[in-house]
Amino acid sequence: MEYLSDRIKSLSVSQTLAMAQKSREMKASGIDVINLSIGEPDFHTPDDIKEAAKKAIDDNYTSYPPVPGYADLREAISVKFREENGLDYSPDQIIVSGGGKHSLINVILSIVNPGDEVIILAPYWVSYYDQIILAEGKPVVISTSIDNDFKVTPAQLEEAITDKTRLLIFNSPSNPTGMVYTGEQMKAIAEVIKRHEGVFIISDEIYEHIIFTGKHESMAQFDFIYDRTITLNGVSKGYAMTGWRIGYIGAPLWIAKAVNKLQGQFTSGVSSISQRAALAAVQSKTNSKEVMRDAFKKRRDLVYKLVSEIEGFRVRLPQGAFYLFPEVNWYFGKSDGDRKVTDSASLAMYLLEKAHVAVVGGEGFGAPDCLRLSYATSEEELIEAVRRIKEALALLR
Ligand SMILES: Cc1ncc(COP(=O)(O)O)c(C=O)c1O
């Protein structure tokens, strides 16, 4: 007999992981699957960072680290915030956690009460929705359209705010759309939030270094909203360090203290070796993140051109992250023999089985008319993947 809590029963399994699982099974049975469903850089962690981790082991960084993170790491992140983002966070406003995902749930659990409304902007990153559910908050989804570059308008936001709204989760550059808000657009959003005392913003800036438009803009730059903004970042994406599990926040002191308290009872300080590696990343003087960014940009240009040519796909040029998010509903209702495509998930499954290309349906991102393709893979694989996708789609009538 199983006795699962209502809490765990209310969570859904990530669609991204479900696709990855199915494509792994196909690969294991000898099928040549191209995986465009993954959300991580295909690069290895740069050597200087790996060396720092090896040295940390030799230097015996093997005991419990401080709950909020090593002092020198928090100091280095404080410097990073100041120099790269123009943000003033003292080290005690910074908490290091086990990945951006962990930073996010820490903040949500610290400020969201059961029944509080949390606004998320669809297409959204899959975990936002379920983390809000986990905290017994109420996700309030604002849908954006490809015709507005998947960006929310101030009027839409204003309309969604009620006296129960506690939080807005904002993400630029965006997973899954790759869209990047301009400073002006962000300011307009900040101005709406400013009018509503008691509403906070988590600004998820984890893709800050994978940006093709020039400068990354931080939400907390606007003085009038700084006290109500939690800046969330980490080393996973920009430094190809997804496996090390290091994320962090810069936040108002009382939120940092609350997160520290939560973390103290829950996980304690995160892996000592990973923290030393993250210190090397944040302080690195090499150009490895720029090299990776340039490689992503080249692939972005390639895959955008190829996908734009696919009949029935509508696509916007991403300005950051490493995803393309075409609208594909033109294919819904079409069939290949007795194989009918009814929605984005069934189109993704059709492409996996017919073209042996793994992509993710838009449903899990709150955008059921779209598909997510990750271009964090080689140019040869991208060219071959799009060729196969086209071939399979041509059979749908
Ligand atoms: C938008 C967004 N935020 C946060 C994260 C969390 O990253 P991590 O927990 O690997 O640091 C991810 C990872 O996919 C993401 O796409």
Side-chain angles (χ1 to χ4, degrees):
M1 192 69 175
E2 288 180 356
Y3 291 97
L4 292 173
S5 67
D6 293 343
R7 188 177 305 111
I8 200 72
K9 283 193 273 191
S10 68
L11 285 186
S12 50
V13 175
S14 152
Q15 267 204 18
T16 327
L17 297 184
M19 274 319 270
Q21 171 66 18
K22 171 93 180 150
S23 82
R24 256 198 307 273
E25 283 166 17
M26 288 174 68
K27 262 193 174 160
S29 70
I31 299 170
D32 161 36
V33 176
I34 300 179
N35 192 354
L36 306 187
S37 72
I38 34 181
E40 62 181 340
D42 56 327
F43 298 103
H44 295 301
T45 302
D47 286 341
D48 58 324
I49 300 171
K50 290 197 286 199
E51 286 309 318
K54 291 179 201 167
K55 183 167 183 308
I57 296 175
D58 290 338
D59 288 349
N60 291 313
Y61 276 94
T62 51
S63 15
Y64 280 130
V67 172
Y70 286 115
D72 54 356
L73 175 57
R74 294 162 83 206
E75 176 64 45
I77 293 169
S78 169
V79 171
K80 174 254 179 286
F81 272 134
R82 193 161 48 249
E83 291 181 351
E84 288 188 359
N85 310 116
L87 302 179
D88 194 11
Y89 288 116
S90 60
D92 56 359
Q93 290 178 272
I94 290 162
I95 307 287
V96 178
S97 302
K101 198 177 254 185
H102 183 207
S103 298
L104 184 70
I105 189 72
N106 277 346
V107 176
I108 293 175
L109 286 173
S110 295
I111 65 176
V112 172
N113 265 321
D116 282 354
E117 294 179 0
V118 179
I119 298 178
I120 52 177
L121 312 173
Y124 48 74
W125 179 47
V126 285
S127 292
Y128 295 155
Y129 193 97
D130 284 282
Q131 289 203 357
I132 297 162
I133 297 285
L134 193 57
E136 296 171 55
K138 182 169 171 236
V140 173
V141 178
I142 303 181
S143 291
T144 65
S145 139
I146 191 168
D147 297 314
N148 198 34
D149 291 338
F150 295 114
K151 290 177 182 172
V152 71
T153 65
Q156 275 182 304
L157 183 58
E158 184 69 63
E159 205 187 328
I161 294 176
T162 71
D163 52 10
K164 288 216 165 77
T165 308
R166 172 69 52 239
L167 186 62
L168 162 69
I169 304 182
F170 182 82
N171 173 221
S172 174
S174 153
N175 173 10
T177 68
M179 292 299 132
V180 173
Y181 283 75
T182 65
E184 277 303 300
Q185 288 166 338
M186 282 171 74
K187 189 169 183 203
I189 288 172
E191 276 165 351
V192 174
I193 298 298
K194 178 188 160 196
R195 288 198 283 276
H196 299 273
E197 201 62 44
V199 178
F200 296 81
I201 309 179
I202 294 179
S203 180
D204 178 347
E205 303 182 9
I206 199 119
Y207 289 96
E208 98 164 279
H209 293 121
I210 306 173
I211 189 162
F212 318 127
T213 54
K215 199 181 155 301
H216 168 74
E217 302 278 355
S218 287
M219 188 60 93
Q221 70 180 289
F222 306 111
D223 292 348
F224 57 87
I225 207 75
Y226 171 84
D227 282 341
R228 288 198 267 140
T229 302
I230 300 97
T231 305
L232 186 147
N233 211 324
V235 294
S236 297
K237 313 287 179 174
Y239 297 91
M241 291 179 69
T242 47
W244 300 81
R245 311 309 304 130
I246 296 287
Y248 55 83
I249 54 163
L253 191 57
W254 61 273
I255 293 181
K257 279 185 176 163
V259 167
N260 190 28
K261 185 164 133 189
L262 175 64
Q263 200 157 280
Q265 291 292 10
F266 207 179
T267 50
S268 295
V270 296
S271 157
S272 52
I273 310 302
S274 291
Q275 288 199 50
R276 303 319 289 166
L279 176 64
V282 174
Q283 293 184 326
S284 178
K285 296 281 178 274
T286 73
N287 64 348
S288 46
K289 61 180 189 306
E290 287 76 18
V291 169
M292 290 189 272
R293 181 203 58 206
D294 292 348
F296 283 127
K297 180 160 188 282
K298 207 158 156 248
R299 296 167 183 181
R300 187 272 316 247
D301 291 341
L302 172 75
V303 80
Y304 172 72
K305 181 175 172 298
L306 294 174
V307 171
S308 302
E309 289 164 1
I310 299 178
E311 184 181 27
F313 275 27
R314 290 180 72 208
V315 60
R316 287 284 180 274
L317 180 70
Q319 298 125 27
F322 37 70
Y323 309 100
L324 212 62
F325 203 62
E327 191 177 85
V328 297
N329 52 5
W330 191 76
Y331 286 97
F332 298 173
K334 296 194 190 318
S335 307
D336 168 14
D338 54 8
R339 210 42 226 269
K340 187 160 185 190
V341 167
T342 51
D343 53 17
S344 182
S346 62
L347 182 59
M349 199 45 83
Y350 173 74
L351 291 175
L352 181 58
E353 286 170 359
K354 196 82 187 181
H356 300 159
V357 177
V359 296
V360 191
E363 287 87 351
F365 306 98
D369 288 337
C370 300
L371 271 186
R372 192 189 76 173
L373 292 79
S374 158
Y375 53 88
T377 190
S378 71
E379 292 179 26
E380 298 73 51
E381 285 217 314
L382 289 170
I383 293 169
E384 173 61 9
V386 177
R387 189 196 65 72
R388 291 189 198 176
I389 289 174
K390 268 184 163 164
E391 204 171 72
L393 290 176
L395 300 173
L396 290 171
R397 323 232 161 249

